[in-house]
Amino acid sequence: KKMAFVSNRTGAPQIYIQDANSGREERLTFEGNYNTQPNWSPTGDRIVYTSMTGGQNNIFFIDLQRREPVQLTQDAGNNESPSWSPDGRSMAITLSRDGNPEIYSLRLSDKKLKRLTTGTAIDTEPVWSPDGRSIVFTSDRGGSPQLYRMPSQGGRAQRITFEGNYNASADFSADGKSLALVHGQDGHFQIAVLDLDRGLLRVLSDGRLDESPSFAPNGSMIIYATETGHRGVLAAVSSDGRFHQQFSLSEGNVREPVWSPFLTRK
């Protein structure tokens, strides 16, 4: 298994891949001023990401065999927060083409866009449920950043987080029953898990600035970014909160880790 992450070890943030078993790291992006928000395709052979080029964010992907970046969006305003659909045919993305950040779906075959949210709030950070039926996203429509869930084709969004004054950056477990997220309360931002059936929120980490949680494919661990000695590092916590681990990575601040999916080799 592998993970992608963002590091500024060479200056501007770039995307790297690490083999979780050997620890070997490899730089993936070289173009653009800032490359962030990596997200794996369901088949694990491509990574989509956000790149700051020409003064605005656009969305690109890289085939891990060809290693050539392909630009997917070039709308005015910011294009960011890409998330692959489970069938690999679409992405959920955030566009501010009309001046306000909204969630869209992007069909990859013809780059057709469909707007999924409408309003004056900031809607961002979409993530697809494993069954492809719904999208969870972050919105401040209720006055503070909280998580909402809507059908993947658009429609009425339902708020699903209520504890704390900040809940964002969701990631689904592979079985679709839980969400890892960043939970903010009293100036502390920590990793939590939300049981979607029971609506129970459980805080797992104890840092002051924990962010970017990502479930391991088997659901047993959550990797995330945190700070140690004013340096961004990667850490992990078991989904029951009992086991904690900090990763040893080379120089630079490290952010936005994301696990690769399980790969079936023929």
Side-chain angles (χ1 to χ4, degrees):
K1 58 188 177 182
K2 296 182 178 181
M3 62 178 172
F5 60 90
V6 175
S7 176
N8 67 349
R9 64 189 59 172
T10 59
Q14 300 293 336
I15 295 169
Y16 293 76
I17 298 175
Q18 184 194 58
D19 186 290
N21 295 320
S22 68
R24 187 175 71 88
E25 298 173 16
E26 180 182 4
R27 181 172 169 178
L28 186 63
T29 60
F30 293 86
E31 81 297 334
N33 296 323
Y34 294 86
N35 293 299
T36 60
Q37 300 179 328
N39 189 279
W40 294 84
S41 68
T43 50
D45 59 349
R46 290 175 291 174
I47 288 180
V48 66
Y49 62 97
T50 298
S51 181
M52 173 69 80
T53 53
Q56 71 174 49
N57 285 329
N58 280 299
I59 295 171
F60 291 73
F61 76 84
I62 287 185
D63 184 300
L64 297 182
Q65 295 297 321
R66 297 190 184 95
R67 298 300 176 100
E68 294 179 1
V70 176
Q71 186 168 346
L72 292 175
T73 65
Q74 49 189 357
D75 275 51
N78 281 328
N79 306 251
E80 56 193 9
S81 302
S83 172
W84 235 293
S85 65
D87 63 9
R89 297 176 181 176
S90 302
M91 288 182 194
I93 60 178
T94 301
L95 301 181
S96 58
R97 62 192 313 197
D98 297 322
N100 195 62
E102 304 285 356
I103 308 298
Y104 290 75
S105 64
L106 171 67
R107 191 165 64 193
L108 296 177
S109 60
D110 57 7
K111 296 188 178 180
K112 182 178 180 180
L113 285 167
K114 180 179 181 180
R115 185 167 174 171
L116 303 181
T117 64
T118 302
T120 58
I122 295 173
D123 297 331
T124 188
E125 299 181 331
V127 58
W128 234 289
S129 63
D131 63 8
R133 295 178 181 177
S134 62
I135 289 173
V136 167
F137 62 98
T138 304
S139 177
D140 66 354
R141 61 185 62 189
S144 66
Q146 299 290 339
L147 296 180
Y148 291 77
R149 189 170 190 169
M150 67 177 171
S152 57
Q153 296 302 309
R156 181 177 175 272
Q158 178 182 5
R159 182 172 168 176
I160 58 174
T161 55
F162 298 91
E163 296 179 46
N165 53 22
Y166 181 99
N167 292 286
S169 304
D171 186 56
F172 270 97
S173 59
D175 61 11
K177 296 180 179 180
S178 302
L179 284 174
L181 56 101
V182 177
H183 172 72
Q185 182 70 41
D186 300 326
H188 290 240
F189 295 90
Q190 298 167 327
I191 305 304
V193 166
L194 176 67
D195 184 314
L196 290 170
D197 290 333
R198 297 185 291 172
L200 297 178
L201 185 78
R202 187 171 74 254
V203 176
L204 303 181
S205 69
D206 54 8
R208 291 184 59 88
L209 194 60
D210 301 336
E211 58 187 26
S212 303
S214 174
F215 265 108
N218 63 9
S220 64
M221 298 290 293
I222 298 167
I223 193 172
Y224 63 97
T226 188
E227 280 194 355
T228 298
H230 303 290
R231 179 176 175 235
V233 297
L234 300 187
V237 59
S238 58
S239 54
D240 60 9
R242 295 179 181 178
F243 177 77
H244 295 257
Q245 178 184 0
Q246 189 165 299
F247 288 87
S248 252
L249 293 171
S250 49
E251 72 274 18
N253 288 297
V254 182
R255 299 288 187 197
E256 302 181 58
V258 58
W259 284 113
S260 67
F262 270 136
L263 303 181
T264 302
R265 304 196 182 278
K266 297 180 180 180

